[in-house]
Amino acid sequence: MSHYLRVFGTFARNSLVRDLTFRGNFLVQCVSSLAWVLMNFGYFWLIFQYVDSIGRATGWGKMEYFVFLATSLLVNSLVEVVFMPNTQEFSELVRTGGLDFALTKPIDTQFLVSFAKWDWSSAVNFVFGIGLLAFAVPRLSVGVPALAWLLYPVYILCGVALLYSLTIVLAASSVWLGRNQNLYDFWFYITNFSRYPMEIYAGPLGGPLRVVFTYLIPVLIVINVPARLVALPLAPENAWLAGFALLAVVASLAVSRWVFLRALISYRSASS
């Protein structure tokens, strides 16, 4: 474990050095990422000038939703910093034969292809998310229990693990598809369902979507579970969702590991 932690730290440090080598480009990426976040925040700030909450009696008022938005920024920024640069590049490793070199390294291949490169410019979203959380929490209508604060970072990591499972499965599919350049687009479309409170998925169309994206492809619980622990600590279904999230994380990681190993078995070197 200590060996893997040292390698993990080396990957993070080398990626930061690489990004800061081209400071102008790094600054532009940070500003671009922050601009998108500010526009998204401004959009919902404008909406709450005309409404008091999302839906009727859902509990998601202005500050509650900003806690949800901050949680979304924390989870997605961690995924975009650590995992997206690597999973996007995996199809190129397969196509060009670069995966051959990864397979010869004395380290777990999935670990290597998951953490080798980081995109530190997306970390600005994480910082903004922390600031937004600090702004919204003191203005909530209900106090946040100490237990919720203890569980919040745990479920942030659970959300990251769930999204990572999805990205590694999509990346591994490039072994069979040859090229999977639309990986990020597909990931964005799927995770769009997680960017809003699950209460909006109701009625004859929304109800089935809520079931599918909660229990079959559990992206709805990625943001909803940690956000509800802080913003809606008295919601009766929190305990059930929190327990199910833990099971979903274990199952998702196991399935993604199995798919990745099956992909490696099916992999044929570019030279063969």
Side-chain angles (χ1 to χ4, degrees):
M1 180 59 69
S2 61
H3 172 65
Y4 277 86
L5 288 176
R6 287 197 301 271
V7 174
F8 182 85
T10 300
F11 286 155
R13 183 175 60 254
N14 289 347
S15 296
L16 182 60
V17 170
R18 184 195 66 236
D19 285 346
L20 294 181
T21 301
F22 305 97
R23 291 182 176 84
N25 181 68
F26 180 72
L27 180 61
V28 169
Q29 288 180 318
C30 289
V31 170
S32 176
S33 185
L34 183 59
W36 180 88
V37 170
L38 289 173
M39 287 188 290
N40 198 33
F41 172 72
Y43 172 74
F44 287 106
W45 184 279
L46 181 62
I47 287 178
F48 280 107
Q49 300 304 306
Y50 299 96
V51 299
D52 295 325
S53 65
I54 296 177
R56 296 180 179 178
T58 62
W60 293 104
K62 183 177 183 179
M63 293 303 157
E64 287 78 9
Y65 186 78
F66 285 163
V67 169
F68 185 95
L69 182 59
T71 305
S72 176
L73 290 173
L74 296 181
V75 173
N76 284 288
S77 62
L78 288 175
V79 174
E80 290 170 5
V81 168
V82 182
F83 299 120
M84 287 308 297
N86 298 292
T87 51
Q88 284 182 294
E89 190 178 353
F90 187 76
S91 63
E92 284 301 298
L93 293 178
V94 173
R95 187 180 66 84
T96 61
L99 186 57
D100 297 1
F101 299 98
L103 290 170
T104 61
K105 298 294 189 296
I107 195 170
D108 183 77
T109 304
Q110 184 174 343
F111 178 88
L112 180 60
V113 301
S114 298
F115 296 104
K117 293 182 179 180
W118 293 34
D119 180 11
W120 281 102
S121 63
S122 296
V124 68
N125 295 354
F126 187 89
V127 176
F128 185 88
I130 292 292
L132 182 57
L133 194 67
F135 167 77
V137 167
R139 294 169 174 80
L140 294 174
S141 57
V142 178
V144 182
L147 180 60
W149 284 122
L150 292 175
L151 293 176
Y152 185 73
V154 174
Y155 282 97
I156 289 289
L157 295 178
C158 286
V160 172
L162 284 168
L163 290 185
Y164 165 70
S165 299
L166 176 61
T167 59
I168 201 66
V169 167
L170 293 175
S173 67
S174 61
V175 171
W176 298 292
L177 299 177
R179 301 191 73 175
N180 191 5
Q181 294 181 317
N182 294 322
L183 166 66
Y184 184 79
D185 292 337
F186 187 76
W187 178 83
F188 180 79
Y189 298 148
I190 292 294
T191 56
N192 252 343
F193 289 96
S194 71
R195 297 174 186 267
Y196 306 101
M198 59 174 54
E199 284 82 358
I200 73 171
Y201 299 103
L205 179 60
L209 287 176
R210 180 170 176 172
V211 172
V212 170
F213 290 105
T214 299
Y215 300 106
L216 298 182
I217 307 175
V219 292
L220 273 183
I221 62 177
V222 168
I223 310 299
N224 275 273
V225 171
R228 293 170 72 89
L229 291 174
V230 173
L232 306 176
L234 302 180
E237 61 271 26
N238 282 359
W240 157 250
L241 287 173
F244 175 74
L246 295 177
L247 294 176
V249 168
V250 173
S252 297
L253 289 175
V255 169
S256 64
R257 177 66 172 177
W258 180 82
V259 171
F260 186 83
L261 292 178
R262 293 298 302 175
L264 292 186
I265 293 173
S266 301
Y267 172 70
R268 296 294 180 268
S269 172
S271 61
S272 63

